[in-house]
Amino acid sequence: MPDTNAHGDAVAQAQPGPGAASGAPPQPAVSAEARTDERRFRAYTFAVLSLGLVAAFAVGSWLPFHWDSKLLWIGPVLAVAFLLAEQLGINVDVRSGISWTISFTEIPLVIGFFVAPFEVVLAAHLVAGIGTLLARKVAGRVLYNAGAFLLEITGAFAVAGLVKVAVGAGAGSEIPWVAALAGTLTAPLVSTLLALAAVRVLRRRMRVSTAVRLTARILVVGFVNASVGLSGYLVISNTPKAWPLVLAVFLGLTALYWAYSDLLREQRDMEALSDVSLMVARSGQQAAARPASRADELVGGVDVREWATIAERIKDQLAAGRVVLRLRLEPTDTMRVVVAGDDLPVADPAADDPLLRLPGAHVRHFRITEANPDVRAALLDRGAQEALVVPLRSANKLLGVVEAHDRLSRWRGFGKYDVQLLGTMASHLATSLDNRRLLATLRHDAYHDPLTGDLNRQGFRQVAKEPLRDFANVVVLRIDLDVFSTVSDALGYAWADRMVIAAGRRIRDALGPDVPLGRLEGASFAALLVGCPPEEAHRAAERLREELSAPYPVDRLSVEANAMIGYATTTPEEAGDPVDIEGLLQRADVAVRATKGGEEVRGYVPSMGQIFLRRFQMVTQFRQSLEDGQVSVHYQPKITLPNRQVQGVEALVRWVHPEFGRLGPDEFVPAIEAAGLIGVLTSFVLGEALKRCRKWLDEGLRISVAVNLSVRNLADEDFPNKVARELERVGIPPELLTFELTESGVMSDPQKALPILRELHSLGITLAVDDFGTGYSSLAYLRQLPVDQVKIDKSFVLGMGTDLGDLAVVRSIVELGHSLGLTVVAEGVEEDVARDQLEAMGCDVAQGYLISRPLPEDRLEAWLQARTARSPGRHSETVLTLLT
C-alpha cells in the first residue's frame, strides 16, 4: 500500500488494511499554506468518510446476511488475522516521499469471502485498523482511514458480487474463486486511488509515470498475496493435513518479499547518494559562477538554500521526521543550522552538547530509552525519541554535524541500513564540503587583497560589472599615497604595509562599508561610487583626501602623508551603453597622473587622454624612429675655467617626430624609461657619442663626451661589460667617456647601484653626479660614491645673480667638491656675471647657453671652427680654446 506525501515526509500513522493508504499527509506546519492544506484535507476526509458510509449501507442492503453461531469466533479470528497481516508488513521506500508497504492483508480478506458475510469482514477490518492506529497514537487521521476502510471493503464485496452474478452463480451458492480474487484486488486499488487523490487535494506534485508504476506494483503484489491465500484456503479446505505445505509457501513468499525490499532499498540508497553528491557538485559550480559581491551568501562554498534541499533529500531517504545540518562557518566558527522537517525547539543546543562533541567520523545511534542522562537531556531538548548523529570532518577540522531524528515507521526505528546510508552520505558530504570550502577560499583569495582584505584588481572589476550595467551615474576613484616607497626605503616593507592597511581602513571608514573598495597595487586604491553626480564626486574625493593626508602614527613616529585622487565618471553619452570598468580605471589613473602642485584632486577630462595617448604613441613608435633617423644626438660644449679651453661635450638626445614635431628629452625620456626602453636609448646615445669622439681623436682633438645614465641602467648587472666592449670596439680611451647620473637615481637603491658604479669607475670611466644639491641625502652618500665630478644644478646657477641664498649654495658646493677632490661643473651659465662669479669661486668647468646651446653634429663642427683657437697640447694633441 502506498504511503504518499508530496512534501517528502514519511508518514507515521500507517493504516492496516488491504492496500490502504497508510495515513495521508504529515502534520502541517503553521504557515498559511499549511493551514489551507489542512482545511482542504479535512473536507476531503469528510467526503471519503461520507462516501464510505453510504457505500457500506448500500452494499449491506444488497448482499444478504445469514446469521451463524460460528460467526462469534470467526469474526474475532478475522480481526486478529488482519492485525497480524498488517504487523508483518514490509515497508519499502521506493521514491522520495513515497513508501510502498508490502502487507499480507489480502490473505485474510480473500479467505473472508468464503467464511463470513460482508458485515463481519467489514467489522473485523475496522476493529483491527482503527485499533492499530489508536495503539500507535496516530489519532489525527482516524476519520480518513475509517472512510478508506469502508470504501475498500465495500468496493471489494461489490466487485465480488458483480463477478458472481456475471459467472452465473446463484444467490445462495458459495462465491466462485474468481469473484473472490477480483474483489480482493479491488481493495488495494481503491486504497491507491484514494491516496493519489489526497496528493492532488493537497496540491502536491507526482509524475503520472510514478503513479502508474506504483499502482501496477500494488496490484501485482495484491494478486500474488490473494492467489496464495486463495490457494491455501482451497488446499486446506479439501486436504486439511496439507497446512504445513501452505505455511511453507507463505514463509517462502515472505522471504522473497524481504529480499526484494532489500534490493529496492539498496537501489534507492545508491540513487540518494548520487543525488546528494550531484546536488553538492552543482551547487559548488553555481557558487563559483557567482560574483564576488555574493560570496557572503555561501556556507562552505554552497548556497544555504541548496543545503536545505540536500537536508530534505536525506530526510526523505531515511524516512526521518527531521534532519538537521549544523555547518561550521569561517572565520567566526559559528554554527549555521539547516533544518528539514519539523521545526527545532527555539533554544539552541548548549556549547557542551554531547551530540556536538562526538569524536571520530562514524554514525552513532541514540535512543532515549537507552541513552545516558546527558544524551537523554540532549534528545529531549531536540524533541526527539531517537537520533542518528554523525560528525562531518576534514583532515584536521570539524566541518559540521548531521542529525536525523525519529524515523517515521510502522513499527521500528532506524536500522542498520539507515546507519550505513547516513555514514556513507556523511562521508560524501564532508569531502564535498571540504572541497567547496577550499574552492571558496581560493576564490576569495583570487578576488581579495591578502594585506588589507579589500578587493584586488580582478575582484574590483567583477564587483563593478553589475553597477556599471544598471546605473547611469557611476564614479571610479583612484587613490594614490605618495609616501609608500619612502617609508619602504627608510623603515622597511613591514612598516609600509602597516601604512597601507591604515590607509585602507581610513578609506573604508570615510566611504562606508557598502562602497566597493579595491587595492590595485602598492599604495593605490580604487573605489566605486554608485548613483553619484560628478559634482558630488569631487566633494567626496576632497573629503577623502583630507582624511588620508592626516599624519600616520608609525611606531613612535608620525609620518606625514599626501594623497592624490583622480576620478572618472560615466558620461551622459554612455548612458544605456555598457561601460568598461577598465576604461574608467584608466581614465581615473590618467586623472591621478595629471595631479600636480597644490591640485591633489582631479577629475578626468578628454584632453587628458590625448596627453597619454601621445605618450603611448611615442613609446610604441620609438624603435622605428631610431631606425628612420628621427632620433639624433646634439652636443653642448663645456669649457674649463679660467683658461676657457673646450674640455668636452655633453651628449643630449633629440627627437623630431613626424606628427608631434621637435620633442625635448623631458617630454619623451620618462615615457621611454617607464616602458623599459631606456637601455635601447642609452645604447644609441653612447654609440653616437663614441663615434663622434673617435672622429675627434682621428683629427688630433682630445674632447671627452658625457652621456646621461638612468636608474634602470644601474640595475643592469651586465651594463659595465657592455660599455667595456663598446669602448674596445670603437677604440676610445675610457677617460674620455663620462657618465652623468642624478643623485636621486643612485640613492633610490644604493645597494644595487654602488657595485655597478665601482665597476665602471674601475674601467677608468669618469663619473659625474648631475643636478647636485637637489637630492635628499647627497652629503651622507657623496663620500661613498666613486665619482669624479659634481655638477651644480642650473637652478642654483641661474639664481645666484639675484638670490644670495643660491649664491651661498653654489659656493658651498664648490668648496665641498674641492675638499673631496672632485671636479666641479656648473651648468646653466647664461651670463658673463655668472661665469665671472664661478671663476672667482674656483669652479672648474662651465656649461650653458653663454657658451653654446646644444648643437647637432654639423653645427658643432662649425662652432668649433669659428669660436675656438687651436694650439698644441699634451700627448701631441690639439687643444681648442674659446675665443673671447
Side-chain angles (χ1 to χ4, degrees), residues 674-695:
L677 296 173
I678 196 65
V680 177
L681 178 61
T682 302
S683 298
F684 171 76
V685 175
L686 179 62
E688 293 295 312
L690 291 182
K691 285 191 293 184
R692 180 68 263 177
C693 186
R694 180 69 259 174
K695 290 180 181 178

Side-chain angles (χ1 to χ4, degrees), residues 70-83:
K70 294 180 180 180
L71 296 178
L72 293 176
W73 62 268
I74 290 177
V77 169
L78 278 176
V80 172
F82 278 121
L83 184 61

Side-chain angles (χ1 to χ4, degrees), residues 323-505:
V323 165
V324 182
L325 302 182
R326 303 181 190 275
L327 306 172
R328 190 176 295 279
L329 297 176
E330 292 181 344
T332 60
D333 262 3
T334 56
M335 280 284 192
R336 176 72 64 87
V337 179
V338 180
V339 182
D342 300 339
D343 292 336
L344 279 176
V346 177
D348 291 331
D352 59 349
D353 190 295
L355 302 187
L356 303 183
R357 296 184 293 106
L358 298 173
H362 57 280
V363 182
R364 273 77 163 196
H365 187 187
F366 298 105
R367 293 185 178 89
I368 199 168
T369 56
E370 304 171 2
N372 61 51
D374 292 338
V375 174
R376 186 181 301 113
L379 292 176
L380 290 175
D381 289 340
R382 290 163 169 79
Q385 297 297 310
E386 68 169 336
L388 297 180
V389 183
V390 55
L392 303 176
R393 295 187 183 277
S394 64
N396 55 1
K397 185 172 184 178
L398 177 66
L399 304 176
V401 177
V402 179
E403 300 178 18
H405 301 162
D406 295 336
R407 192 179 197 282
L408 299 175
S409 172
R410 295 176 178 276
W411 56 277
R412 64 180 177 88
F414 294 113
K416 66 175 184 178
Y417 292 113
D418 301 310
V419 173
Q420 292 173 359
L421 176 62
L422 186 60
T424 307
M425 281 187 170
S427 177
H428 286 213
L429 282 177
T431 302
S432 299
L433 182 59
D434 199 26
N435 291 340
R436 294 283 76 77
R437 290 164 66 94
L438 176 60
L439 289 175
T441 301
L442 293 175
R443 185 175 184 273
H444 179 275
D445 293 345
Y447 288 114
H448 290 80
D449 175 59
L451 181 63
T452 63
D454 297 319
L455 298 168
N456 56 19
R457 182 182 290 272
Q458 179 66 20
F460 186 78
R461 286 200 299 257
Q462 290 290 329
V463 171
K465 285 182 179 179
E466 187 173 346
L468 284 175
R469 184 176 61 248
D470 299 338
F471 296 92
N473 293 325
V474 177
V475 179
V476 171
L477 300 178
R478 169 70 184 256
I479 307 110
D480 280 5
L481 297 179
D482 65 348
V483 296
F484 181 72
S485 59
T486 304
V487 174
S488 298
D489 295 338
L491 301 176
Y493 284 103
W495 291 106
D497 288 345
R498 295 184 187 184
M499 281 199 63
V500 171
I501 294 173
R505 191 178 299 117

Side-chain angles (χ1 to χ4, degrees), residues 768-821:
V769 177
D770 199 5
D771 300 335
F772 189 80
T774 60
Y776 54 84
S777 56
S778 56
L779 296 181
Y781 282 94
L782 188 58
R783 296 187 62 183
Q784 301 180 29
L785 296 178
V787 297
D788 306 285
Q789 298 178 2
V790 290
K791 295 187 70 174
I792 305 172
D793 185 69
K794 62 182 178 182
S795 62
F796 300 116
V797 176
L798 291 173
M800 70 180 186
T802 56
D803 192 323
L804 294 178
D806 288 346
L807 181 64
V809 170
V810 173
R811 180 178 289 109
S812 298
I813 294 175
V814 171
E815 294 175 356
L816 175 63
H818 288 163
S819 67
L820 295 175

Side-chain angles (χ1 to χ4, degrees), residues 575-599:
D577 296 331
V579 182
D580 183 17
I581 182 61
E582 283 297 338
L584 284 178
L585 281 172
Q586 185 178 6
R587 295 177 192 175
D589 181 61
V590 169
V592 167
R593 295 173 183 270
T595 58
K596 58 179 65 176
E599 194 175 10

